Amino acid sequence: WAFEDESNKRELVVWAGIFAGFAMGIKYLALISIGFFAVFIFFKQFKRPEKCVKGLLAFGSFVFLAGAYWYLRAYFVTGNPVYPYFASIFKSGDPAIHYNDVGVQKTWLGFLTVPWVLTMKPQLFEGFGVQLGPGYLAFLPITLLAGWKNAQVRWLCFYSVYFLTAWFLLGQSMRFLVPLLPVLAAVIGTGFGSIPEGTPKKYLMLLF
């Protein structure tokens, strides 16, 4: 987050690209986060077009160098870089894979109510034996408070909405939402830290 420090900005972009590439080589879900990181770099540098372009090129290059091997390998072995998905496009994979019958309807109402339904009816999201605790839902107001007061946490809130939207539209499986949970936990923790001194935080913790 130290993008205001010119001395280490380039290094941060490089390391972000490397680790994002590693994540991309592990799980296709990382592609969602990589898109957000690119938008983050753009917004931090869009007033300086030259640095914006250089930052995006550096980030994208290191993402490719660190993660492209596994996609190229899958393409040469199976003919599909994202095997077994998108079988209809690459003519290779499992055409039976789909998530149309998982979760709630992809409507505005469904999106707005998905935090509640996800918590109360995890079985709709392939959450058999795995479900989210009520803490994430209960502390949503604290999350909003933390995001409003802290500029860095605001980006985490933007990321959370972005990731949740992508998850909602692509595949509403409970396990696909796991990468978002540490981010939400960090925002909730910041929210507790932003509560003024003297407020009985322990009683809020008991609610959890």
Side-chain angles (χ1 to χ4, degrees):
W1 301 113
F3 264 51
E4 303 305 325
D5 184 355
E6 294 288 340
S7 64
N8 67 351
K9 187 182 300 182
R10 185 178 304 174
E11 182 180 347
L12 285 173
V13 171
V14 170
W15 280 112
I18 291 173
F19 284 112
F22 288 160
M24 188 180 75
I26 296 172
K27 196 74 173 176
Y28 298 144
L29 276 176
L31 292 170
I32 297 175
S33 298
I34 289 172
F36 180 84
F37 295 153
V39 172
F40 176 80
I41 294 173
F42 172 80
F43 272 98
K44 289 300 246 181
Q45 297 292 339
F46 78 97
K47 292 182 179 179
R48 293 175 286 186
E50 182 179 350
K51 290 189 176 183
C52 180
V53 172
K54 287 183 178 179
L56 290 173
L57 286 177
F59 176 72
S61 298
F62 281 95
V63 168
F64 180 82
L65 290 174
Y69 165 78
W70 299 105
Y71 292 79
L72 294 173
R73 178 179 180 273
Y75 177 76
F76 287 117
V77 173
T78 67
N80 183 348
V82 290
Y83 185 90
Y85 299 101
F86 299 109
S88 60
I89 297 176
F90 296 102
K91 310 305 178 185
S92 173
D94 186 354
I97 294 179
H98 66 84
Y99 297 94
N100 298 329
D101 56 347
V102 178
V104 297
Q105 292 185 346
K106 296 177 181 179
T107 62
W108 281 108
L109 180 60
F111 179 75
L112 294 175
T113 58
V114 74
W116 173 268
V117 181
L118 187 68
T119 304
M120 300 303 173
K121 298 182 179 180
Q123 67 275 11
L124 297 179
F125 304 87
E126 297 184 328
F128 302 101
V130 179
Q131 65 185 79
L132 302 181
Y136 291 99
L137 181 64
F139 292 131
L140 183 59
I142 294 179
T143 300
L144 297 177
L145 175 65
W148 178 260
K149 290 188 174 183
N150 189 306
Q152 296 178 351
V153 177
R154 274 200 297 270
W155 278 103
L156 295 182
C157 291
F158 292 150
Y159 171 81
S160 300
V161 174
Y162 165 84
F163 192 98
L164 182 66
T165 302
W167 169 86
F168 180 80
L169 296 175
L170 295 175
Q172 300 174 25
S173 178
M174 180 79 73
R175 59 193 177 91
F176 294 160
L177 202 61
V178 170
L180 181 60
L181 301 186
V183 177
L184 292 177
V187 175
I188 290 172
T190 305
F192 270 107
S194 64
I195 298 175
E197 291 296 331
T199 303
K201 299 180 184 180
K202 62 181 181 179
Y203 295 115
L204 294 175
M205 290 299 294
L206 288 175
L207 292 176
F208 176 70

